């Protein structure tokens, strides 16, 4: 499944990937979490529920580009989520992190929060869901190997 910045109703979502994307977007829209927390929470609950929920709070400083407006919080949350699930496989974590950044840059033109939100700050909930869905997709493929 290929995730893009298309409108949600144009995206065909199935199974765990769609559930993760919808969960992350919902958490962001609820106002209870920002982008990084929402991505991490959705991945944790679907791929590593044995990990304490308190781990999600570790991502609380990454929203809004880590306060400086640089790396997108959703991407930072996705990177943390990859490490949370894959844990000891640093080579795979590094490879998937590069893949996530490349995919994100192709979709949104940059990984910098300031650049992305300058065009459309209202797109953050969907972007958050898309990143969570992409990370879930990457993890599913990894688990199927």
């Amino acid at each position: 499944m290929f995730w893009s910045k298309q409108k949600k109703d144009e995206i065909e979502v199935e199974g765990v990937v769609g559930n993760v994307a919808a969960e992350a977007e919902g958490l962001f829209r609820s106002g209870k979490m920002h982008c990084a927390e929402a991505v991490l929470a959705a991945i944790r609950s679907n791929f590593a529920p044995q990990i304490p929920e308190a781990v999600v709070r570790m991502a609380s400083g990454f929203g809004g580009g880590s306060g400086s407006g640089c790396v997108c919080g959703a991407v930072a949350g996705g990177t943390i989520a990859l490490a949370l699930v894959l844990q000891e496989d640093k080579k795979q974590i590094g490879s998937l992190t590069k893949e996530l950044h490349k995919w994100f840059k192709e979709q949104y033109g940059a990984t910098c929060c300031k650049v992305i939100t300058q065009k459309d700050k209202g797109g953050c909930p969907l972007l958050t869901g898309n990143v969570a869905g992409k990370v879930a997709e990457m993890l599913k493929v990894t688990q199927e190997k």
Side-chain angles (χ1 to χ4, degrees):
M1 177 177 290
F2 181 75
W3 290 84
S4 71
K5 57 185 174 181
Q6 298 168 339
K7 291 181 183 173
K8 187 173 182 179
D9 60 1
E10 295 173 1
I11 298 173
E12 192 176 308
V13 293
E14 311 172 11
V16 71
V17 173
N19 292 340
V20 168
E23 184 178 341
E25 182 178 340
L27 288 168
F28 185 95
R29 287 187 188 281
S30 75
K32 294 178 183 174
M33 295 183 178
H34 60 62
C35 50
E37 295 166 313
V39 170
L40 183 57
I43 294 294
R44 187 204 66 80
S45 70
N46 287 274
F47 286 89
Q50 73 281 7
I51 303 291
E53 202 171 314
V55 168
V56 173
R57 288 193 297 272
M58 292 172 44
S60 62
F62 289 99
S66 297
S68 68
C70 221
V71 174
C72 170
V75 174
T79 300
I80 297 167
L82 288 168
L84 179 74
V85 174
L86 300 173
Q87 297 200 9
E88 299 301 319
D89 194 343
K90 290 184 182 187
K91 189 172 185 176
Q92 190 172 40
I93 293 165
S95 175
L96 291 176
T97 297
K98 284 180 187 177
E99 183 181 331
L100 177 63
H101 279 255
K102 181 178 183 227
W103 168 84
F104 189 88
K105 197 166 187 174
E106 288 170 356
Q107 298 305 303
Y108 300 100
T111 56
C112 180
C113 180
K114 280 182 189 177
V115 172
I116 297 162
T117 57
Q118 191 172 34
K119 297 175 189 173
D120 179 19
K121 187 160 182 107
C124 289
L126 182 58
L127 179 150
T128 298
N130 287 346
V131 170
K134 180 63 177 176
V135 171
E137 179 183 297
M138 293 164 74
L139 290 169
K140 268 190 76 162
V141 168
T142 300
Q143 290 175 341
E144 291 170 359
K145 288 183 179 178

